[in-house]
């Protein structure tokens, strides 16, 4: 074993960073045995140096992150500060000064992953980011390495624990959205401002990363269709149960049937209770991968939190340090396929549409005609009138597979019918 330690700079010492530092200290002997050399925490960049950080030598703490990554003796920079800047500048500076990088920064990787990979390649350094998607669940490395000889056709997953907790509570207890969100906040699953989670921004960044790796194509955050879950209601769950389904916020990355393009999207969807993802409860994550040779694979586990995310960071740290000792680098960006990303309008799936209609003869025929005129085939339809026979009725239509563009055209035409009082909800049906 080499006795001279590999030096690690830690950028950020919050929930994840503090766990990384703790594990590096408490598991130092095991890490050294696995790597073939000891690892040494050489510096910790923070915003508030006065805060007491248990187990970290105050002499290592600095507010000058740029100076830390420029030192020249740093072997690996671990970036867990998040956001776009200064993280982007710090990572590129680290490459320029000879360090490899381990990052958990999904937002930055989804926006500028190609540029960061190019910088890493230019300087002959590694860029690893297992922790950027699904916490402790091994997902990036299996897609990038284990399935490198296979053809991945679809990645379908629950990649945000906060939203899964909220939807699971709504399903299992009948709670409304706000009530379930309040409980998630009280338990620490949701941030004070939950927008990034409940509006799908977090999941969309992860979908961009997954799609890029799975399909060997550059997919940026702007390429991902995003729809939040704040409009999901108890009535939607009741309709889902009638269909033998539940509702999840899904990240869906697909290769087109002809293989000529890909799509990436995030939105709430009904999935059959028989699908493995339907049984994922609480704040857990799970990702379902479909490929030609391997068939169907499911990756499941805790998708967030200090310890799980730190576990993924340390796994990358071990791999990068091993590469450093051998003078090699691991897999970089694979974007050779360069497939175009199709717009959401081209996506084909099933739909569940709930309409408020006049409770009188002929309404169903009018609605069915509109669907037919727009080339959308109806699978099932259910109409329920008021018990007193006066006023509006509820009409629920489930379609066969149709494009998003065709469905949108259908809905716009339905809104123009005098007998349609309103469109109560529209939800996609996935996982079949």
């Amino acid at each position: 074993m080499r006795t001279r330690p590999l030096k690690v700079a830690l950028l950020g010492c919050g929930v994840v960073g503090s766990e990384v530092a703790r594990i590096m200290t408490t598991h130092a002997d095991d890490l050294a045995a696995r790597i073939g050399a000891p690892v040494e925490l050489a510096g910790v960049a923070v915003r508030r140096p006065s805060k007491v950080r248990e187990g970290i030598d105050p002499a290592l703490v600095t507010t000058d992150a740029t100076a830390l990554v420029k030192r020249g003796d740093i072997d690996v920079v671990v970036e867990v500060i998040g956001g776009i800047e200064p993280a982007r500048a710090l990572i590129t500076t680290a490459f320029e000064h000879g360090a490899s990088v381990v990052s958990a920064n999904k937002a930055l990787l989804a926006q500028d992953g190609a540029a960061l990979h190019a910088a890493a390649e230019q300087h002959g350094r590694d860029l690893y980011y297992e922790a950027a998607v699904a916490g402790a669940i091994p997902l990036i490395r299996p897609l990038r390495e284990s399935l490198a000889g296979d053809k991945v056709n679809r990645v379908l997953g629950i990649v945000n624990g906060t939203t899964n907790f909220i939807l699971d509570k709504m399903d299992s207890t009948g709670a409304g959205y706000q009530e379930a969100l309040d409980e998630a906040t009280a338990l620490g699953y949701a941030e004070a401002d939950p927008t990034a989670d409940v509006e799908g921004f977090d999941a969309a960044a992860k979908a961009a990363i997954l799609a890029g790796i799975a399909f060997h194509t550059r997919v940026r955050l702007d390429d991902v269709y995003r729809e939040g879950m704040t409009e999901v209601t108890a009535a939607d769950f009741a309709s889902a149960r009638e269909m033998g389904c539940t509702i999840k916020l899904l990240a869906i990355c697909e290769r087109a049937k002809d293989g000529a393009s890909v799509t990436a999207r995030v939105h709430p969807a009904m999935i059959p209770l028989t699908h493995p993802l339907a049984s994922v409860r609480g704040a857990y994550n799970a990702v379902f991968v479909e490929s030609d040779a391997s068939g169907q694979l499911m990756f499941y586990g805790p998708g967030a939190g200090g310890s799980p995310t730190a576990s993924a960071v340390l796994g990358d740290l071990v791999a990068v340090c091993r590469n450093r000792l051998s003078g090699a680098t691991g897999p970089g960006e694979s974007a050779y396929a360069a497939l175009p990303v199709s717009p959401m309008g081209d996506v084909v799936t099933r739909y569940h549409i709930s309409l408020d209609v006049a409770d009188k003869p002929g309404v169903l025929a009018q609605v069915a005609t509109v669907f037919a005129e727009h080339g959308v085939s109806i699978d099932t339809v259910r109409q329920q009138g008021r018990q007193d026979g006066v006023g509006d009725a509820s009409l629920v239509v489930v379609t066969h597979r149709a494009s998003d563009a065709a469905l949108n055209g259908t809905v716009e035409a339905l809104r123009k019918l005098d007998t349609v009082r309103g469109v109560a909800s529209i939800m996609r049906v996935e996982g079949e």
Side-chain angles (χ1 to χ4, degrees):
M1 176 185 294
R2 192 179 90 163
T3 57
R4 184 170 66 84
L6 293 160
K7 294 188 177 183
V8 177
L10 178 61
L11 307 183
C13 198
V15 174
V16 176
S18 60
E19 272 297 290
V20 171
R22 183 189 68 81
I23 296 172
M24 284 185 64
T25 302
T26 58
H27 295 182
D29 291 343
D30 281 344
L31 290 172
R34 294 168 192 169
I35 292 169
V39 288
E40 172 188 311
L41 189 59
V44 182
V46 299
R47 286 183 297 177
R48 295 184 296 274
S50 60
K51 180 180 178 181
V52 176
R53 294 173 172 84
E54 186 177 349
I56 296 178
D57 183 351
L60 297 177
V61 177
T62 178
T63 57
D64 194 342
T66 302
L68 178 59
V69 300
K70 282 184 173 181
R71 274 177 36 174
D73 64 336
I74 300 297
D75 294 289
V76 184
V77 169
V78 174
E79 183 272 308
V80 288
I81 57 177
I84 306 303
E85 292 292 359
R88 173 170 48 197
L90 291 170
I91 289 174
T92 54
T93 301
F95 291 142
E96 291 166 1
H97 287 79
S100 291
V101 174
V102 172
S103 176
N105 196 331
K106 53 188 170 288
L108 177 58
L109 289 159
Q111 178 171 307
D112 284 326
L116 294 178
H117 274 292
E121 183 178 1
Q122 178 185 351
H123 296 284
R125 294 295 177 252
D126 277 322
L127 173 62
Y128 276 49
Y129 43 90
E130 184 68 63
V133 180
I137 304 172
L139 186 58
I140 300 296
R141 192 169 287 112
L143 282 173
R144 191 162 62 173
E145 300 178 27
S146 304
L147 297 175
D150 204 346
K151 179 184 177 184
V152 176
N153 296 309
R154 196 179 198 216
V155 180
L156 173 77
I158 299 164
V159 295
N160 183 280
T162 300
T163 56
N164 199 57
F165 178 88
I166 293 170
L167 292 173
D168 183 37
K169 280 295 176 182
M170 293 177 69
D171 188 21
S172 60
T173 68
Y177 166 76
Q178 189 60 50
E179 183 182 352
L181 172 59
D182 290 344
E183 183 174 353
T185 304
L187 291 173
Y189 291 127
E191 301 287 345
D193 180 1
T195 302
D197 294 324
V198 300
E199 294 295 350
F201 290 101
D202 176 84
K206 295 170 181 176
I209 295 170
L210 291 174
I213 296 171
F215 307 133
H216 305 281
T217 290
R218 287 177 179 169
V219 179
R220 300 180 73 253
L221 181 58
D222 292 345
D223 296 321
V224 181
Y225 171 84
R226 178 194 54 79
E227 184 181 319
M229 49 160 279
T230 57
E231 301 300 319
V232 176
T233 66
D236 292 326
F237 274 101
S239 294
R241 283 191 288 273
E242 290 180 358
M243 291 179 58
C245 294
T246 189
I247 298 171
K248 299 291 186 182
L249 184 74
L250 297 179
I252 305 170
C253 312
E254 292 180 303
R255 187 191 300 268
K257 294 289 186 183
D258 61 5
S261 64
V262 299
T263 58
R265 50 196 166 103
V266 168
H267 54 71
M270 295 182 179
I271 59 171
L273 294 174
T274 53
H275 193 282
L277 291 179
S279 62
V280 178
R281 310 301 295 270
Y284 275 69
N285 284 190
V287 177
F288 205 66
V289 178
E290 301 174 6
S291 64
D292 278 359
S294 300
Q296 297 179 331
L297 305 170
M298 182 166 156
F299 300 83
Y300 169 83
S307 293
T309 306
S311 171
V313 170
L314 267 295
D316 279 350
L317 179 63
V318 169
V320 170
C321 285
R322 287 172 175 170
N323 292 343
R324 190 83 170 185
L325 288 177
S326 67
T329 55
E333 183 188 31
S334 176
Y336 73 89
L339 297 172
V341 182
S342 295
M344 187 61 187
D346 292 347
V347 170
V348 175
T349 189
R350 298 178 67 205
Y351 291 87
H352 176 283
I353 305 102
S354 179
L355 304 171
D356 294 326
V357 299
D359 191 4
K360 62 182 184 180
V363 172
L364 180 57
Q366 287 183 327
V367 169
T369 297
V370 170
F371 276 86
E373 288 174 348
H374 288 80
V376 179
S377 176
I378 294 176
D379 182 16
T380 62
V381 62
R382 184 178 71 256
Q383 183 172 352
Q384 182 176 351
R386 290 169 53 98
Q387 291 184 350
D388 59 11
V390 178
D392 294 344
S394 174
L395 188 66
V396 175
V397 178
V398 179
T399 74
H400 287 291
R401 291 175 64 83
S403 72
D404 193 75
L407 194 283
N408 287 338
T410 302
V411 171
E412 288 304 309
L414 288 171
R415 295 183 194 276
K416 296 176 182 178
L417 292 178
D418 292 339
T419 51
V420 174
R421 309 305 192 203
V423 180
S425 68
I426 303 171
M427 192 165 295
R428 296 167 184 88
V429 182
E430 301 286 348
E432 295 182 318

